[in-house]
Amino acid sequence: DTALTFAELDARADALAHRLAGHGVGPEHLVALALPRSADSVVALLAVLKAGAAFVPVDTDYPAERLARLLGTTSTVVTDAATAPGLPDTGAVRVLVDAPGPVPAGAAGPVPGRRILPGSAAYVIHTSGSTGEPKGVVIDHAGLRNLYAFHRAGVIARAEELHGGRRMRMALTAALSFDTSWEGLLWMVAGHELHLVDDDTRRDAAALVRHIARAGIDALDVTPTYAEQLVEEGLLDDPAHRPKVLLLGGEAAGAALWTRVRAADGMLCHNLYGPTECSVDTLWWDAALSEEPLVGRPLANTRAYVLDAGLRPVAPGVPGELYLAGPSLARGYLNRPSLTAGRFVACPFEDGARMYRTGDLVRWDREGRIEYLGRADDQVKIRGFRVEPGEIEAALAAAPGVDRAAVTVREDGPGGGKRLVGYVVPAPGGDGGTCSAVDAADLRAHLAGTLPAHMVPSAFVVLDAFPRTPNDKLDRAALPAPDPGGAGDGRVRRAPRGRREEVLAGLFAEVLGLPADAVGADDGFFDLGGHSLLAARLMARVREALGEELGVQDLFAAPTVAALAARSGGAVPREEADPRGDADPLAPLVTLRTGAPGVPALFCVHPGAGTGWVYRGLLEHLDPRQPVHALQSQALSEPGARPGSVTEMAAEYAARIRAVQQHGPYHLLGWSFGAVVAHEVAVTLQRDGEEVAALTLLDGYPAAPGETAAPAADPLRDLLESLGYPPREECGAAGGGPLTLAGLVAAAAEEGPLSVFDGETVAALGEAYVHHDRLAAAHRPGVFRGGVTLAVAAHEPDAPGPRVWDPYVTGPVTQHEIPCAHGEMMATKPAAEIAALLGEGTVGR
């Protein structure tokens, strides 16, 4: 929804460049760009270059630990007011693009005194590293200038010639932390329109194809894997709306795609090859010039050498390793001189020159063209991302309970194509014999806290020992394939309920290539081996089957069959989930309201009764844009399930929360027993390195040391009264005697908090209520780093008071009295006051 002229873009970039210069930014300074995908991100990139410095693009979706590593390499961070609070504090100066800042007098136009030399640093891109640490590649202006000269005189000039010299529209779909984003930026520098496609659209192949047609996009740069998805969604079907230029790069192109793009009359398709260490592109080829995929010939000023192990040139047709030389070579790796020396080596064919050892196997053909054959080492490209398995192995080996770890790339998984699989050998148990339990969900959560999403394996296999070769090395070829769909994992899957769940379970299985009965209602798409491109394929099938405009972002937010079935259809979210429709009221996590993108979600932990639907009373008082989710007792979906402790329950709930929202800041709420659990969930999330922005406790308190659970004289009556619904006489409670199960079911049938459940479920909740009471008495809380908001029921004179929480928090306990009894906190008036408290804590804004 933002459009800038070239003059406006230039003026905004100049103004920000002057502000950066005012903070001492200049040549050889590194400036991090930590911004959401917006016009400001392009302004900031240009401003850093105008200030003479080098930019370091940072993906703000990265885990906090990785963000801290990347930001720690820079002295200045350009961000905005919404993003800044979620960034780790590394001591760098923060410059907000959306906040007025001091601009020196006479700051119009370019920053004076900024002389940019060919060897000046232009940007730093971080890639995966085999040692467990990301590598920062330092690119200078000579490499960037050479890249622009090639594109301006080559594909851009040819496209202009073919289409009458008119201004064209280039879609930028790559992440700005991915150096291939320069393909689009250079078209803008050449005078063409840059269309910065939003995250939701660029991640959904069907949505992107529609956008290309609607916006009249002329040029597009994507990976071959994504191009296959776009073609499947109809990218090339309509000659009137297909792009005029298609650029492929980032990984090897397959023969089927090559044939398809060659058949698209009037479309110019170039295949581009180049490692990050060589300024994006070093080889190119026009698909129209060969029937088989080639990476072709070097760009101008670039030399390509195909050498054997002794650095001797090999004959045409003989495989060898590709070495590259010329001005496109990076300086090397940031602060990694030994690593730089190992990859940037002396060139024996040019005096005083260096060449970069790519690790790629290629061969010349008899016409002097280069064919890509694969890798000479363990590095892989998955959907355009460079991945070093060693970095993932290092992170996986550091996971709790893991003794040894290995990571491989397999092509026998869901939907075909490459996928990462992690293998672990558990650490020995306390007796030195039995192994400790290792859970795939815990491994996934651990890696998600340290690695980008594209580096988290889609499947995990736990082994007693790794297979070995005769030389006693890890036999990677003998590592077993993951069990499809996790069959044999010992879990009892809940069968889909209702038409929507049944349809979605079938589509999950279809897209993932699994047996129809291998997908349960609570199985997650990504837990079953799905990835982002398969997600786009799935959501296209979902739109066809259900006729609803659900997108990939819906799947990321609700990755299980049950959660996606409950998700709103259409562009406008429903005000409230309907527990009587085909949303599953028994799911471990229910979405009470989907809300709007970008608004912090509220996660509510069930009280002792085990149901999260009690929090529906908050919805009418909170901002209607705010998503609201509720955790529910496992006893609803798995009768007889009994968590062993509050700590165990909190770990499970933290994992479910992170399945909906991968990273913080999180906003948590708990009532009664749920307050004790919510506090422990917050402790668990902080232990995993996540930020908890707000923790609100509703009349819930930890047990005193030595306290035991008192046996309830009438647990079924206590269950209803705890929710503010004392049973009436006609429900079997005459004379104040014990409430019968039949009476409880009758009470539940009323328009109350349990009215969505059948008798069997209500009975299970009664048993869970008693069990939760025992868990609370046995629980000794951890320590939450921060303050909490405590809403107390003013009509309960024997409440322990806020001081009992003091040993378990490091910040203040802010008490607010709500004029009600304990069981009445979700009645209309108390709920309104509680919602107001949440709003003060930024939860409800």
Side-chain angles (χ1 to χ4, degrees):
D1 60 354
T2 300
L4 297 179
T5 66
F6 284 98
E8 290 167 338
L9 177 62
D10 198 44
R12 286 175 59 172
D14 279 339
L16 181 56
H18 279 277
R19 288 178 58 194
L20 291 172
H23 287 285
V25 170
E28 299 307 313
H29 283 82
L30 301 184
V31 179
L33 303 183
L35 289 162
R37 193 176 180 85
S38 64
D40 281 337
S41 55
V42 179
V43 169
L45 183 153
L46 295 175
V48 172
L49 293 177
K50 283 173 172 282
F55 68 86
V56 182
V58 174
D59 190 329
T60 55
D61 288 335
Y62 281 174
E65 180 181 332
R66 196 175 187 89
L67 276 176
R69 288 181 186 174
L70 301 188
L71 296 177
T73 65
T74 67
S75 58
T76 308
V77 179
V78 178
T79 184
D80 60 20
T83 306
L87 297 177
D89 186 3
T90 60
V93 174
R94 293 186 176 184
V95 179
L96 303 183
V97 296
D98 55 350
V103 179
V111 177
R114 292 299 190 266
R115 186 181 177 207
I116 309 301
L117 300 175
S120 299
Y123 64 89
V124 177
I125 291 285
H126 285 82
T127 69
S128 179
S130 59
T131 61
E133 295 286 335
K135 302 177 296 192
V137 182
V138 185
I139 299 295
D140 61 25
H141 279 268
L144 191 54
R145 182 174 62 180
N146 197 67
L147 179 70
Y148 176 68
F150 164 74
H151 278 281
R152 186 67 194 88
V155 65
I156 296 177
R158 188 174 173 200
E160 290 171 341
E161 180 182 350
L162 290 174
H163 300 286
R166 66 178 180 84
R167 176 173 292 167
M168 303 179 74
R169 297 176 176 181
M170 175 65 169
L172 178 50
T173 62
L176 291 171
S177 57
F178 194 10
D179 60 347
T180 193
S181 58
W182 271 113
E183 309 285 11
L185 292 167
L186 293 181
W187 281 66
M188 179 189 72
V189 174
H192 296 281
E193 288 184 19
L194 179 70
H195 287 241
L196 190 67
V197 181
D198 67 271
D199 283 328
D200 287 356
T201 302
R202 75 185 182 92
R203 291 170 176 160
D204 187 329
L208 181 56
V209 169
R210 292 194 299 270
H211 176 75
I212 289 170
R214 184 170 57 249
I217 297 297
D218 297 302
L220 183 69
D221 174 78
V222 292
T223 65
T225 300
Y226 196 29
E228 290 170 356
Q229 293 275 323
L230 296 173
V231 170
E232 187 176 320
E233 293 294 342
L235 177 71
L236 307 181
D237 293 351
D238 184 355
H241 293 112
R242 72 167 62 126
K244 309 296 188 297
V245 179
L246 178 63
L247 304 180
L248 302 175
E251 61 184 350
L257 175 65
W258 195 264
T259 300
R260 186 71 180 85
V261 298
R262 280 170 49 83
D265 292 336
M267 186 178 75
L268 182 63
C269 178
H270 276 201
N271 192 29
L272 302 168
Y273 163 93
T276 297
E277 289 84 349
C278 296
S279 306
V280 189
D281 298 328
T282 50
L283 305 175
W284 73 279
W285 192 246
D286 183 344
L289 301 180
S290 66
E291 295 184 357
E292 300 296 329
L294 294 173
V295 288
R297 296 193 174 101
L299 275 62
N301 301 320
T302 301
R303 275 83 67 194
Y305 301 101
V306 183
L307 309 177
D308 63 15
L311 298 186
R312 294 172 298 230
V314 299
V318 177
E321 187 171 352
L322 177 64
Y323 289 75
L324 298 167
S328 64
L329 263 63
R331 284 188 189 175
Y333 300 108
L334 182 66
N335 301 325
R336 306 279 287 274
S338 60
L339 186 61
T340 299
R343 301 298 294 194
F344 294 85
V345 298
C347 179
F349 313 107
E350 304 174 36
D351 290 341
R354 301 179 305 154
M355 59 183 182
Y356 173 68
R357 179 184 181 183
T358 67
D360 287 329
L361 292 176
V362 300
R363 65 186 170 203
W364 294 106
D365 68 8
R366 295 188 179 279
E367 297 180 37
R369 307 172 304 185
I370 294 176
E371 179 185 359
Y372 177 82
L373 301 176
R375 289 291 299 176
D377 56 20
D378 292 334
Q379 185 191 105
V380 294
K381 281 286 189 78
I382 296 183
R383 299 184 294 281
F385 291 101
R386 179 196 295 188
V387 174
E388 295 274 7
E391 181 175 0
I392 309 171
E393 289 176 353
L396 189 55
V402 173
D403 183 35
R404 283 168 291 163
V407 175
T408 65
V409 177
R410 305 188 68 99
E411 299 190 41
D412 53 2
K418 297 176 180 177
R419 66 164 176 164
L420 292 167
V421 178
Y423 297 85
V424 299
V425 173
D431 59 2
T434 58
C435 291
S436 56
V438 177
D439 181 71
D442 293 338
L443 295 176
R444 184 173 285 106
H446 170 79
L447 293 183
T450 59
L451 298 175
H454 66 268
M455 293 179 66
V456 177
S458 60
F460 295 88
V461 179
V462 180
L463 301 172
D464 293 334
F466 283 153
R468 298 286 177 180
T469 66
N471 295 328
D472 203 31
K473 295 182 179 181
L474 172 63
D475 188 351
R476 293 183 180 273
L479 290 169
D483 196 358
D489 58 8
R491 289 191 301 115
V492 177
R493 285 189 168 81
R494 181 173 69 79
R497 292 190 180 96
R499 175 183 171 272
R500 286 167 64 88
E501 285 193 5
E502 291 173 355
V503 169
L504 289 173
L507 293 175
F508 274 40
E510 174 192 329
V511 171
L512 294 170
L514 300 174
D517 60 353
V519 180
D522 299 316
D523 285 332
F525 181 76
F526 302 102
D527 294 334
L528 294 171
H531 51 68
S532 56
L533 291 182
L534 283 179
R537 183 175 299 169
L538 171 68
M539 297 317 292
R541 303 287 190 274
V542 170
R543 285 189 290 268
E544 293 174 5
L546 298 181
E548 297 181 6
E549 282 302 314
L550 292 168
V552 172
Q553 292 305 109
D554 291 288
L555 181 63
F556 282 121
T560 68
V561 169
L564 190 59
R567 194 83 174 157
S568 166
V572 180
R574 288 180 297 183
E575 283 297 305
E576 182 178 341
D578 180 7
R580 293 167 186 78
D582 48 14
D584 179 13
L586 309 181
L589 186 146
V590 291
T591 299
L592 303 182
R593 182 166 62 207
T594 55
V599 179
L602 175 65
F603 293 91
C604 308
V605 181
H606 62 80
T611 172
W613 291 104
V614 293
Y615 293 108
R616 283 181 294 165
L618 288 174
L619 297 180
E620 62 181 294
H621 307 293
L622 293 170
D623 188 321
R625 298 170 301 168
Q626 182 178 22
V628 181
H629 307 280
L631 282 305
Q632 302 204 114
S633 170
Q634 211 173 348
L636 274 73
S637 55
E638 298 180 43
R642 291 288 184 272
S645 65
V646 169
T647 302
E648 178 185 326
M649 184 182 290
E652 179 195 338
Y653 290 0
R656 293 193 182 279
I657 288 170
R658 294 187 70 176
V660 175
Q661 179 183 322
Q662 188 174 7
H663 299 295
Y666 294 104
H667 300 264
L668 306 176
L669 170 73
W671 176 19
S672 190
F673 170 71
V676 177
V677 181
H679 174 272
E680 196 62 30
V681 170
V683 171
T684 301
L685 290 170
Q686 285 187 336
R687 190 182 303 124
D688 291 341
E690 295 293 343
E691 177 188 356
V692 177
L695 175 58
T696 304
L697 311 178
L698 306 184
D699 210 42
Y701 309 93
E707 180 180 336
T708 58
D714 191 352
L716 301 182
R717 179 186 295 275
D718 290 351
L719 168 61
L720 277 183
E721 289 182 343
S722 74
L723 301 175
Y725 286 83
R728 303 196 304 271
E729 290 187 5
E730 58 266 33
C731 293
L739 180 64
T740 64
L741 177 58
L744 179 63
V745 173
E750 302 286 325
E751 185 63 29
L754 307 182
S755 59
V756 298
F757 304 131
D758 58 22
E760 180 182 356
T761 303
V762 172
L765 286 179
E767 296 174 6
Y769 180 78
V770 175
H771 181 64
H772 292 157
D773 199 36
R774 288 196 290 265
L775 293 184
H779 178 59
R780 295 297 171 261
V783 177
F784 173 69
R785 300 191 306 275
V788 302
T789 298
L790 176 65
V792 302
H795 296 173
E796 300 288 346
D798 298 328
R803 298 302 300 272
V804 299
W805 278 111
D806 286 350
Y808 310 117
V809 297
T810 62
V813 179
T814 306
Q815 176 178 317
H816 298 270
E817 291 193 352
I818 307 297
C820 67
H822 175 84
E824 298 170 344
M825 300 201 86
M826 286 299 109
T828 301
K829 190 171 181 180
E833 294 194 27
I834 291 167
L837 293 179
L838 296 173
E840 290 174 8
T842 73
V843 177
R845 291 179 186 169

